[in-house]
Amino acid sequence: MPDAKHGRGPERTGAQIMCEALLREQVSVMFGIPGGAIMPFYYAMYEYRDRLHHVLCRHEQGAGHAAEGYARSSGRVGVCVATSGPGATNLVTPISDAWMDSTPLVAITGQVSSAVLGRDAFQETDITGITVPITKHNYLVKRAEEIPGVFREAFHIASTGRPGPVLIDVTKDAQQARTVPDWDVEVNLPGYRPTIEGHSRQVRAAAALLASAERPLLLVGNGVVQSGAAAELLALAERTGIPVVTTLHGLGAFPEDHALSIGMPGMHGWVHVNRAIQECDVLCNIGGRFDDRVTGKASHFAPHARVIHIDIDPSEIGKNVRAHVPIVGDARAVLRALLDVVAPRRADAWLAHIREMQATYQMRHRELNRPETASLMPHDVYAALNSALRDRGAYRVVTDVGQHQMWAAQLLDWQRPRTHITSGGAGTMGFAVPAALGVALAHPDETVWAVCGDGGFQMTNQELATIVQERVRNVKVAIVNNGYLGMVRQWQELFEEKRYSGTLLSGPDFARLADAYGILGLTVERPGDAAAAIDRAWDHDGPVVIDFRVEREVNVFPIVPQGKSIGEMMVGVGEHA
Ligand SMILES: Cc1ncc(C[n+]2csc(CCOP(=O)(O)OP(=O)(O)O)c2C)c(N)n1
């Protein structure tokens, strides 16, 4: 019924307006769990269910990670939903994960009615207070009239500039109240104007430094992926012949089989890459934040380098490493500007020097710390997975947190942006299975591999039920099962005299667990069986869990011990490069 007073269409409940606001933001799927304070929204959702698909997860943490996986793999905003109190606090982990990894996420939570706010009402938690330090912005909405403007702003903030999470907490009475929505809302945020174009003088200064350098490097981070700058990066690298280093979140931004790709830096990066960083005279960081896992001891990082730092977030510049040429702007826009002014050059001698170091130090696949054993090594699993990925294409890989995550980064060949999805900044165990669900829904025609440790898998494996209920067929889980919280055990072995305190880990028979969920479960114990299991999983029309029972006490090398410079790497037990 048209509204007589305003002449602006029919009255709607706040909850209906929330649904319409989501549709206006092109949202088609969201992940959540209902409860008292968010029930009016679920009531309204029923009416929109054909266009707005709600995925019922088994834990709000899973809903948040699923929304993250959806966002990270597609570049769109992920949406998760929870009720007040414990529902909302269960979202804190994925929200902080999205914050650390600059993931566009809108988290919607129900809140107790405004009349009882602040009175410790049932399931009242101050979620806007809790999430202040881990959101780009958050809102407490107490009136239905505010919903169109708040949702528009939230999606704008989450997806522009440096992407990140935004939380919208809506009181139950605001969801129930009726009003005529005013959709003529303009985003007007005077304090929020992300800088896109880099300053032209700075861009010219960067071009001059890159032209004059003898030992230059491009260090590529998440910003290149987020801004869609892979083509510009390739053009810059090929124009200048400058070797390319990709951080954990930069993996895929530059094809690893390219002649200029030298690999990953940092704590579990390659010796030749860290050496190159320590020797370089110009280091151009594009969209990376000089995380301590990359820099090691920051005061000893790249001691001879003039640093160019391109970042959309001005607060990153100079935070960890001094920038001689800071450029605030979107990676793609800045690289385009740089391509207009940068002169063609080569760095062949420098690249040859790095390749020599690589030949000396890089150990890949089975050679890496592989004992004389007939048992299954993690490296056998990755070698088999790598060749399947290469042969078949159309895949995404989501990794959890720990040793298996670092092996995946090291031992798989990353070729395309948004194919490597991991929890890097927060290092959240339990990320992979639910995130893979989100990735699979965003990319139904691709095969999504979730690579987990047996520890992280046991944190969120209940989302397998969600995968089954949603009839998601393209998720394949590979558990690199070493019966330990492996990465912590490795530190205990290397740095704490093998005091295995709290790291010995049992688990169920994972193949039988998969079976209980109605999922094909496979167990692999011998090196020769890995490839066949991966092929079988790939060809199986449905989700699969493979339990790879690997040699138990294998370490990830190289490793930079905590607090050391990246020049000081261990390449084996008691062996230093
Ligand atoms: C939620 C959470 N709790 C604890 C940790 C600390 N942590 C980092 S790696 C790791 C061990 C992971 O073990 P597992 O999942 O089996 O993987 P693996 O290292 O054996 O490959 C732990 C406990 C974490 N990163 N996240």
Side-chain angles (χ1 to χ4, degrees), residues 61 93 400-405 407 426-430 452-457 459 480 482-489 505:
Q61 181 189 353
T93 296
D400 213 81
V401 173
Q403 293 183 305
H404 64 280
Q405 174 192 34
W407 282 316
T428 305
M429 284 171 72
C452 309
D454 45 320
F457 178 75
M459 287 192 176
V480 183
N482 52 17
Y484 281 111
L485 294 172
M487 186 57 98
V488 181
R489 184 212 58 77
L505 178 74

PDB file of all heavy atoms in Angstrom, residues 61 93 400-405 407 426-430 452-457 459 480 482-489 505, ligand 1:
ATOM      1  N   GLN A  61      31.146 -18.812  14.451  1.00  0.00           N
ATOM      2  CA  GLN A  61      32.512 -18.644  13.934  1.00  0.00           C
ATOM      3  C   GLN A  61      32.582 -19.169  12.501  1.00  0.00           C
ATOM      4  O   GLN A  61      33.191 -18.553  11.626  1.00  0.00           O
ATOM      5  CB  GLN A  61      33.532 -19.388  14.812  1.00  0.00           C
ATOM      6  CG  GLN A  61      34.962 -19.193  14.307  1.00  0.00           C
ATOM      7  CD  GLN A  61      35.988 -20.060  15.001  1.00  0.00           C
ATOM      8  OE1 GLN A  61      35.696 -20.748  15.983  1.00  0.00           O
ATOM      9  NE2 GLN A  61      37.214 -20.025  14.508  1.00  0.00           N
ATOM     10  N   THR A  93      35.877 -13.771  16.579  1.00  0.00           N
ATOM     11  CA  THR A  93      37.073 -14.341  15.937  1.00  0.00           C
ATOM     12  C   THR A  93      37.089 -14.087  14.424  1.00  0.00           C
ATOM     13  O   THR A  93      38.075 -13.556  13.908  1.00  0.00           O
ATOM     14  CB  THR A  93      37.202 -15.835  16.278  1.00  0.00           C
ATOM     15  OG1 THR A  93      37.407 -15.937  17.684  1.00  0.00           O
ATOM     16  CG2 THR A  93      38.356 -16.483  15.552  1.00  0.00           C
ATOM     17  N   ASP A 400      44.367 -23.858   6.479  1.00  0.00           N
ATOM     18  CA  ASP A 400      44.150 -23.537   7.880  1.00  0.00           C
ATOM     19  C   ASP A 400      45.459 -22.958   8.427  1.00  0.00           C
ATOM     20  O   ASP A 400      46.198 -22.325   7.663  1.00  0.00           O
ATOM     21  CB  ASP A 400      43.684 -24.796   8.624  1.00  0.00           C
ATOM     22  CG  ASP A 400      42.729 -24.436   9.749  1.00  0.00           C
ATOM     23  OD1 ASP A 400      41.545 -24.219   9.485  1.00  0.00           O
ATOM     24  OD2 ASP A 400      43.187 -24.368  10.913  1.00  0.00           O
ATOM     25  N   VAL A 401      45.751 -23.169   9.679  1.00  0.00           N
ATOM     26  CA  VAL A 401      46.906 -22.499  10.275  1.00  0.00           C
ATOM     27  C   VAL A 401      47.834 -23.503  10.938  1.00  0.00           C
ATOM     28  O   VAL A 401      47.386 -24.318  11.741  1.00  0.00           O
ATOM     29  CB  VAL A 401      46.445 -21.442  11.296  1.00  0.00           C
ATOM     30  CG1 VAL A 401      47.618 -20.851  12.057  1.00  0.00           C
ATOM     31  CG2 VAL A 401      45.681 -20.346  10.561  1.00  0.00           C
ATOM     32  N   GLY A 402      49.086 -23.435  10.568  1.00  0.00           N
ATOM     33  CA  GLY A 402      50.069 -24.334  11.157  1.00  0.00           C
ATOM     34  C   GLY A 402      51.076 -24.763  10.114  1.00  0.00           C
ATOM     35  O   GLY A 402      51.275 -24.083   9.101  1.00  0.00           O
ATOM     36  N   GLN A 403      51.708 -25.908  10.356  1.00  0.00           N
ATOM     37  CA  GLN A 403      52.727 -26.402   9.436  1.00  0.00           C
ATOM     38  C   GLN A 403      52.178 -26.626   8.029  1.00  0.00           C
ATOM     39  O   GLN A 403      52.786 -26.247   7.029  1.00  0.00           O
ATOM     40  CB  GLN A 403      53.293 -27.727   9.960  1.00  0.00           C
ATOM     41  CG  GLN A 403      54.078 -27.610  11.251  1.00  0.00           C
ATOM     42  CD  GLN A 403      54.648 -28.958  11.638  1.00  0.00           C
ATOM     43  OE1 GLN A 403      53.926 -29.949  11.755  1.00  0.00           O
ATOM     44  NE2 GLN A 403      55.945 -29.013  11.852  1.00  0.00           N
ATOM     45  N   HIS A 404      51.002 -27.284   7.981  1.00  0.00           N
ATOM     46  CA  HIS A 404      50.415 -27.605   6.671  1.00  0.00           C
ATOM     47  C   HIS A 404      50.188 -26.344   5.843  1.00  0.00           C
ATOM     48  O   HIS A 404      50.255 -26.361   4.626  1.00  0.00           O
ATOM     49  CB  HIS A 404      49.076 -28.338   6.883  1.00  0.00           C
ATOM     50  CG  HIS A 404      48.081 -27.454   7.549  1.00  0.00           C
ATOM     51  ND1 HIS A 404      48.076 -27.222   8.892  1.00  0.00           N
ATOM     52  CD2 HIS A 404      47.133 -26.655   7.028  1.00  0.00           C
ATOM     53  CE1 HIS A 404      47.150 -26.335   9.180  1.00  0.00           C
ATOM     54  NE2 HIS A 404      46.556 -25.977   8.072  1.00  0.00           N
ATOM     55  N   GLN A 405      49.901 -25.230   6.525  1.00  0.00           N
ATOM     56  CA  GLN A 405      49.661 -23.945   5.853  1.00  0.00           C
ATOM     57  C   GLN A 405      50.947 -23.437   5.204  1.00  0.00           C
ATOM     58  O   GLN A 405      50.959 -22.976   4.060  1.00  0.00           O
ATOM     59  CB  GLN A 405      49.160 -22.948   6.910  1.00  0.00           C
ATOM     60  CG  GLN A 405      48.982 -21.522   6.440  1.00  0.00           C
ATOM     61  CD  GLN A 405      48.764 -20.564   7.615  1.00  0.00           C
ATOM     62  OE1 GLN A 405      49.326 -20.761   8.710  1.00  0.00           O
ATOM     63  NE2 GLN A 405      47.936 -19.557   7.412  1.00  0.00           N
ATOM     64  N   TRP A 407      53.602 -25.312   4.437  1.00  0.00           N
ATOM     65  CA  TRP A 407      53.984 -26.218   3.341  1.00  0.00           C
ATOM     66  C   TRP A 407      53.180 -25.898   2.082  1.00  0.00           C
ATOM     67  O   TRP A 407      53.711 -25.922   0.981  1.00  0.00           O
ATOM     68  CB  TRP A 407      53.782 -27.683   3.753  1.00  0.00           C
ATOM     69  CG  TRP A 407      54.874 -28.211   4.642  1.00  0.00           C
ATOM     70  CD1 TRP A 407      56.229 -28.018   4.479  1.00  0.00           C
ATOM     71  CD2 TRP A 407      54.712 -29.029   5.811  1.00  0.00           C
ATOM     72  NE1 TRP A 407      56.907 -28.666   5.488  1.00  0.00           N
ATOM     73  CE2 TRP A 407      56.005 -29.302   6.315  1.00  0.00           C
ATOM     74  CE3 TRP A 407      53.615 -29.551   6.470  1.00  0.00           C
ATOM     75  CZ2 TRP A 407      56.221 -30.070   7.451  1.00  0.00           C
ATOM     76  CZ3 TRP A 407      53.819 -30.323   7.598  1.00  0.00           C
ATOM     77  CH2 TRP A 407      55.115 -30.580   8.079  1.00  0.00           C
ATOM     78  N   ALA A 426      45.734 -13.034  11.476  1.00  0.00           N
ATOM     79  CA  ALA A 426      45.299 -13.525  12.779  1.00  0.00           C
ATOM     80  C   ALA A 426      45.774 -14.956  13.004  1.00  0.00           C
ATOM     81  O   ALA A 426      45.907 -15.394  14.138  1.00  0.00           O
ATOM     82  CB  ALA A 426      43.770 -13.465  12.885  1.00  0.00           C
ATOM     83  N   GLY A 427      45.992 -15.701  11.934  1.00  0.00           N
ATOM     84  CA  GLY A 427      46.395 -17.101  12.086  1.00  0.00           C
ATOM     85  C   GLY A 427      45.340 -17.873  12.854  1.00  0.00           C
ATOM     86  O   GLY A 427      45.612 -18.474  13.894  1.00  0.00           O
ATOM     87  N   THR A 428      44.128 -17.901  12.339  1.00  0.00           N
ATOM     88  CA  THR A 428      42.999 -18.487  13.060  1.00  0.00           C
ATOM     89  C   THR A 428      42.828 -19.956  12.708  1.00  0.00           C
ATOM     90  O   THR A 428      42.358 -20.299  11.621  1.00  0.00           O
ATOM     91  CB  THR A 428      41.698 -17.725  12.702  1.00  0.00           C
ATOM     92  OG1 THR A 428      41.896 -16.337  12.957  1.00  0.00           O
ATOM     93  CG2 THR A 428      40.539 -18.245  13.526  1.00  0.00           C
ATOM     94  N   MET A 429      43.207 -20.830  13.616  1.00  0.00           N
ATOM     95  CA  MET A 429      42.905 -22.256  13.411  1.00  0.00           C
ATOM     96  C   MET A 429      41.394 -22.436  13.331  1.00  0.00           C
ATOM     97  O   MET A 429      40.646 -21.763  14.036  1.00  0.00           O
ATOM     98  CB  MET A 429      43.436 -23.091  14.579  1.00  0.00           C
ATOM     99  CG  MET A 429      44.926 -23.321  14.558  1.00  0.00           C
ATOM    100  SD  MET A 429      45.454 -24.097  16.105  1.00  0.00           S
ATOM    101  CE  MET A 429      44.794 -25.758  15.910  1.00  0.00           C
ATOM    102  N   GLY A 430      40.970 -23.328  12.462  1.00  0.00           N
ATOM    103  CA  GLY A 430      39.538 -23.540  12.266  1.00  0.00           C
ATOM    104  C   GLY A 430      38.982 -22.735  11.107  1.00  0.00           C
ATOM    105  O   GLY A 430      37.793 -22.818  10.797  1.00  0.00           O
ATOM    106  N   CYS A 452      44.052 -28.786   5.825  1.00  0.00           N
ATOM    107  CA  CYS A 452      43.975 -28.545   7.274  1.00  0.00           C
ATOM    108  C   CYS A 452      44.984 -29.398   8.018  1.00  0.00           C
ATOM    109  O   CYS A 452      45.398 -30.440   7.521  1.00  0.00           O
ATOM    110  CB  CYS A 452      42.629 -28.993   7.844  1.00  0.00           C
ATOM    111  SG  CYS A 452      41.222 -28.362   6.997  1.00  0.00           S
ATOM    112  N   GLY A 453      45.277 -28.982   9.228  1.00  0.00           N
ATOM    113  CA  GLY A 453      45.939 -29.868  10.174  1.00  0.00           C
ATOM    114  C   GLY A 453      44.861 -30.607  10.951  1.00  0.00           C
ATOM    115  O   GLY A 453      43.681 -30.218  10.924  1.00  0.00           O
ATOM    116  N   ASP A 454      45.260 -31.660  11.644  1.00  0.00           N
ATOM    117  CA  ASP A 454      44.254 -32.385  12.431  1.00  0.00           C
ATOM    118  C   ASP A 454      43.773 -31.549  13.613  1.00  0.00           C
ATOM    119  O   ASP A 454      42.665 -31.751  14.113  1.00  0.00           O
ATOM    120  CB  ASP A 454      44.772 -33.760  12.883  1.00  0.00           C
ATOM    121  CG  ASP A 454      46.186 -33.737  13.447  1.00  0.00           C
ATOM    122  OD1 ASP A 454      47.047 -33.009  12.904  1.00  0.00           O
ATOM    123  OD2 ASP A 454      46.433 -34.452  14.438  1.00  0.00           O
ATOM    124  N   GLY A 455      44.572 -30.578  14.043  1.00  0.00           N
ATOM    125  CA  GLY A 455      44.142 -29.691  15.131  1.00  0.00           C
ATOM    126  C   GLY A 455      43.076 -28.714  14.663  1.00  0.00           C
ATOM    127  O   GLY A 455      41.977 -28.651  15.227  1.00  0.00           O
ATOM    128  N   GLY A 456      43.387 -27.943  13.640  1.00  0.00           N
ATOM    129  CA  GLY A 456      42.438 -26.939  13.141  1.00  0.00           C
ATOM    130  C   GLY A 456      41.168 -27.577  12.622  1.00  0.00           C
ATOM    131  O   GLY A 456      40.063 -27.056  12.821  1.00  0.00           O
ATOM    132  N   PHE A 457      41.308 -28.742  11.973  1.00  0.00           N
ATOM    133  CA  PHE A 457      40.128 -29.430  11.453  1.00  0.00           C
ATOM    134  C   PHE A 457      39.154 -29.730  12.584  1.00  0.00           C
ATOM    135  O   PHE A 457      37.940 -29.579  12.448  1.00  0.00           O
ATOM    136  CB  PHE A 457      40.541 -30.722  10.736  1.00  0.00           C
ATOM    137  CG  PHE A 457      39.380 -31.517  10.213  1.00  0.00           C
ATOM    138  CD1 PHE A 457      38.689 -31.106   9.082  1.00  0.00           C
ATOM    139  CD2 PHE A 457      38.970 -32.680  10.858  1.00  0.00           C
ATOM    140  CE1 PHE A 457      37.605 -31.840   8.603  1.00  0.00           C
ATOM    141  CE2 PHE A 457      37.887 -33.417  10.387  1.00  0.00           C
ATOM    142  CZ  PHE A 457      37.207 -32.996   9.255  1.00  0.00           C
ATOM    143  N   MET A 459      38.631 -28.098  15.134  1.00  0.00           N
ATOM    144  CA  MET A 459      37.997 -26.910  15.722  1.00  0.00           C
ATOM    145  C   MET A 459      36.675 -26.558  15.050  1.00  0.00           C
ATOM    146  O   MET A 459      35.789 -26.009  15.698  1.00  0.00           O
ATOM    147  CB  MET A 459      38.950 -25.724  15.649  1.00  0.00           C
ATOM    148  CG  MET A 459      40.100 -25.818  16.638  1.00  0.00           C
ATOM    149  SD  MET A 459      40.968 -24.258  16.759  1.00  0.00           S
ATOM    150  CE  MET A 459      42.147 -24.631  18.049  1.00  0.00           C
ATOM    151  N   VAL A 480      46.248 -32.953   6.770  1.00  0.00           N
ATOM    152  CA  VAL A 480      47.645 -33.377   6.909  1.00  0.00           C
ATOM    153  C   VAL A 480      47.787 -33.738   8.387  1.00  0.00           C
ATOM    154  O   VAL A 480      48.048 -32.894   9.239  1.00  0.00           O
ATOM    155  CB  VAL A 480      48.609 -32.251   6.471  1.00  0.00           C
ATOM    156  CG1 VAL A 480      50.051 -32.719   6.557  1.00  0.00           C
ATOM    157  CG2 VAL A 480      48.287 -31.813   5.039  1.00  0.00           C
ATOM    158  N   ASN A 482      49.172 -35.237  11.547  1.00  0.00           N
ATOM    159  CA  ASN A 482      50.411 -35.669  12.196  1.00  0.00           C
ATOM    160  C   ASN A 482      50.213 -35.987  13.680  1.00  0.00           C
ATOM    161  O   ASN A 482      51.183 -36.234  14.401  1.00  0.00           O
ATOM    162  CB  ASN A 482      51.523 -34.622  12.007  1.00  0.00           C
ATOM    163  CG  ASN A 482      51.075 -33.229  12.424  1.00  0.00           C
ATOM    164  OD1 ASN A 482      50.073 -33.092  13.139  1.00  0.00           O
ATOM    165  ND2 ASN A 482      51.793 -32.206  11.992  1.00  0.00           N
ATOM    166  N   GLY A 483      48.975 -35.936  14.141  1.00  0.00           N
ATOM    167  CA  GLY A 483      48.729 -36.318  15.536  1.00  0.00           C
ATOM    168  C   GLY A 483      49.328 -35.365  16.565  1.00  0.00           C
ATOM    169  O   GLY A 483      49.500 -35.718  17.737  1.00  0.00           O
ATOM    170  N   TYR A 484      49.654 -34.198  16.115  1.00  0.00           N
ATOM    171  CA  TYR A 484      50.179 -33.144  17.002  1.00  0.00           C
ATOM    172  C   TYR A 484      49.568 -31.811  16.606  1.00  0.00           C
ATOM    173  O   TYR A 484      49.123 -31.639  15.464  1.00  0.00           O
ATOM    174  CB  TYR A 484      51.691 -32.983  16.810  1.00  0.00           C
ATOM    175  CG  TYR A 484      52.572 -33.999  17.480  1.00  0.00           C
ATOM    176  CD1 TYR A 484      53.279 -34.914  16.718  1.00  0.00           C
ATOM    177  CD2 TYR A 484      52.737 -34.007  18.867  1.00  0.00           C
ATOM    178  CE1 TYR A 484      54.134 -35.832  17.307  1.00  0.00           C
ATOM    179  CE2 TYR A 484      53.592 -34.929  19.462  1.00  0.00           C
ATOM    180  CZ  TYR A 484      54.286 -35.831  18.696  1.00  0.00           C
ATOM    181  OH  TYR A 484      55.131 -36.731  19.280  1.00  0.00           O
ATOM    182  N   LEU A 485      49.609 -30.858  17.522  1.00  0.00           N
ATOM    183  CA  LEU A 485      49.489 -29.456  17.126  1.00  0.00           C
ATOM    184  C   LEU A 485      50.869 -29.122  16.564  1.00  0.00           C
ATOM    185  O   LEU A 485      51.765 -28.654  17.259  1.00  0.00           O
ATOM    186  CB  LEU A 485      49.136 -28.583  18.329  1.00  0.00           C
ATOM    187  CG  LEU A 485      47.739 -28.860  18.920  1.00  0.00           C
ATOM    188  CD1 LEU A 485      47.533 -28.095  20.229  1.00  0.00           C
ATOM    189  CD2 LEU A 485      46.640 -28.503  17.921  1.00  0.00           C
ATOM    190  N   GLY A 486      51.024 -29.437  15.271  1.00  0.00           N
ATOM    191  CA  GLY A 486      52.344 -29.598  14.687  1.00  0.00           C
ATOM    192  C   GLY A 486      53.250 -28.380  14.778  1.00  0.00           C
ATOM    193  O   GLY A 486      54.430 -28.502  15.118  1.00  0.00           O
ATOM    194  N   MET A 487      52.718 -27.217  14.468  1.00  0.00           N
ATOM    195  CA  MET A 487      53.598 -26.049  14.445  1.00  0.00           C
ATOM    196  C   MET A 487      54.125 -25.728  15.841  1.00  0.00           C
ATOM    197  O   MET A 487      55.273 -25.328  16.015  1.00  0.00           O
ATOM    198  CB  MET A 487      52.867 -24.841  13.844  1.00  0.00           C
ATOM    199  CG  MET A 487      53.741 -23.620  13.647  1.00  0.00           C
ATOM    200  SD  MET A 487      55.182 -23.987  12.611  1.00  0.00           S
ATOM    201  CE  MET A 487      54.609 -23.395  11.028  1.00  0.00           C
ATOM    202  N   VAL A 488      53.265 -25.929  16.846  1.00  0.00           N
ATOM    203  CA  VAL A 488      53.710 -25.659  18.216  1.00  0.00           C
ATOM    204  C   VAL A 488      54.722 -26.735  18.630  1.00  0.00           C
ATOM    205  O   VAL A 488      55.755 -26.447  19.250  1.00  0.00           O
ATOM    206  CB  VAL A 488      52.511 -25.595  19.189  1.00  0.00           C
ATOM    207  CG1 VAL A 488      52.984 -25.279  20.601  1.00  0.00           C
ATOM    208  CG2 VAL A 488      51.507 -24.551  18.728  1.00  0.00           C
ATOM    209  N   ARG A 489      54.428 -27.982  18.266  1.00  0.00           N
ATOM    210  CA  ARG A 489      55.389 -29.061  18.550  1.00  0.00           C
ATOM    211  C   ARG A 489      56.746 -28.751  17.924  1.00  0.00           C
ATOM    212  O   ARG A 489      57.791 -28.960  18.542  1.00  0.00           O
ATOM    213  CB  ARG A 489      54.856 -30.401  18.011  1.00  0.00           C
ATOM    214  CG  ARG A 489      55.765 -31.590  18.371  1.00  0.00           C
ATOM    215  CD  ARG A 489      55.759 -32.686  17.336  1.00  0.00           C
ATOM    216  NE  ARG A 489      56.169 -32.252  16.018  1.00  0.00           N
ATOM    217  CZ  ARG A 489      57.442 -32.030  15.656  1.00  0.00           C
ATOM    218  NH1 ARG A 489      58.429 -32.214  16.496  1.00  0.00           N
ATOM    219  NH2 ARG A 489      57.715 -31.594  14.429  1.00  0.00           N
ATOM    220  N   LEU A 505      48.171 -34.809  20.183  1.00  0.00           N
ATOM    221  CA  LEU A 505      46.755 -34.622  19.862  1.00  0.00           C
ATOM    222  C   LEU A 505      46.152 -35.895  19.290  1.00  0.00           C
ATOM    223  O   LEU A 505      46.654 -36.423  18.304  1.00  0.00           O
ATOM    224  CB  LEU A 505      46.665 -33.502  18.817  1.00  0.00           C
ATOM    225  CG  LEU A 505      45.317 -33.101  18.256  1.00  0.00           C
ATOM    226  CD1 LEU A 505      44.537 -32.313  19.308  1.00  0.00           C
ATOM    227  CD2 LEU A 505      45.502 -32.247  17.013  1.00  0.00           C
TER     228      LEU A 505
HETATM  229  C1  LIG B   1      42.481 -20.588  17.364  1.00  0.00           C
HETATM  230  C2  LIG B   1      43.934 -20.840  17.531  1.00  0.00           C
HETATM  231  N1  LIG B   1      44.402 -21.416  18.652  1.00  0.00           N
HETATM  232  C3  LIG B   1      45.719 -21.638  18.808  1.00  0.00           C
HETATM  233  C4  LIG B   1      46.610 -21.277  17.838  1.00  0.00           C
HETATM  234  C5  LIG B   1      48.109 -21.512  18.009  1.00  0.00           C
HETATM  235  N2  LIG B   1      48.593 -22.461  17.017  1.00  0.00           N
HETATM  236  C6  LIG B   1      49.218 -22.062  15.872  1.00  0.00           C
HETATM  237  S1  LIG B   1      49.623 -23.329  14.877  1.00  0.00           S
HETATM  238  C7  LIG B   1      49.026 -24.441  15.978  1.00  0.00           C
HETATM  239  C8  LIG B   1      49.098 -25.918  15.698  1.00  0.00           C
HETATM  240  C9  LIG B   1      48.210 -26.314  14.583  1.00  0.00           C
HETATM  241  O1  LIG B   1      48.092 -27.712  14.591  1.00  0.00           O
HETATM  242  P1  LIG B   1      47.355 -28.459  13.426  1.00  0.00           P
HETATM  243  O2  LIG B   1      46.049 -27.835  13.135  1.00  0.00           O
HETATM  244  O3  LIG B   1      47.331 -29.902  13.716  1.00  0.00           O
HETATM  245  O4  LIG B   1      48.280 -28.140  12.164  1.00  0.00           O
HETATM  246  P2  LIG B   1      49.818 -28.514  11.925  1.00  0.00           P
HETATM  247  O5  LIG B   1      50.659 -27.420  12.487  1.00  0.00           O
HETATM  248  O6  LIG B   1      50.085 -29.842  12.589  1.00  0.00           O
HETATM  249  O7  LIG B   1      49.916 -28.580  10.441  1.00  0.00           O
HETATM  250  C10 LIG B   1      48.503 -23.815  17.106  1.00  0.00           C
HETATM  251  C11 LIG B   1      47.905 -24.508  18.266  1.00  0.00           C
HETATM  252  C12 LIG B   1      46.074 -20.655  16.682  1.00  0.00           C
HETATM  253  N3  LIG B   1      46.841 -20.217  15.696  1.00  0.00           N
HETATM  254  N4  LIG B   1      44.742 -20.458  16.553  1.00  0.00           N
END
